[in-house]
């Protein structure tokens, strides 16, 4: 993997992780690096699932693949927050 590929994966992971955090209700007190890791893993797994379902290669933006990735990121954020018990106060 090239340096550009690694940087691209980190940027996509940060965006996917942030979108996953937005989907989960309440405030999550987890560090940004953990959000990025969750996002990178969700992006990779989402792409694998989208390819397995046959919806990864479409013309234009792959909305279904993006949906898989964001849902997996939201699940990952919720699991990490639930396991660590670092959820903030909701109002």
């Amino acid at each position: 993997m090239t340096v550009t590929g690694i940087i691209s994966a980190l940027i996509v992971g940060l965006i996917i992780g942030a979108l996953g955090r937005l989907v989960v209700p309440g405030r999550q007190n987890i560090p940004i690096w953990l959000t990025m890791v969750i996002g990178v893993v969700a992006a990779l797994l989402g792409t694998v699932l989208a390819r397995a379902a046959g919806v990864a290669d479409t013309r234009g933006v792959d909305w279904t693949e993006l949906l898989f990735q964001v849902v997996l990121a939201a699940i990952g954020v919720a699991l990490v927050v639930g396991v660590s018990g670092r959820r903030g106060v909701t109002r």
Side-chain angles (χ1 to χ4, degrees):
M1 179 175 268
T2 64
V3 173
T4 306
I6 293 170
I7 292 171
S8 298
L10 292 176
I11 291 170
V12 168
L14 184 61
I15 293 169
I16 296 295
L19 289 173
R21 264 180 100 156
L22 288 174
V23 172
V24 176
R27 184 169 172 233
Q28 299 85 30
N29 291 324
I30 59 174
I32 194 71
W33 67 266
L34 188 54
T35 301
M36 188 184 306
V37 169
I38 292 169
V40 169
V41 171
L44 293 172
L45 287 176
T47 300
V48 169
L49 288 176
R51 287 183 191 269
V55 294
D57 295 323
T58 61
R59 285 186 270 153
V61 177
D62 294 325
W63 294 108
T64 307
E65 181 178 0
L66 182 62
L67 180 67
F68 282 165
Q69 294 170 339
V70 172
V71 167
L72 287 172
I75 291 169
V77 167
L79 284 174
V80 167
V81 169
V83 169
S84 68
R86 297 183 66 175
R87 187 179 185 111
V89 176
T90 57
R91 294 180 186 209

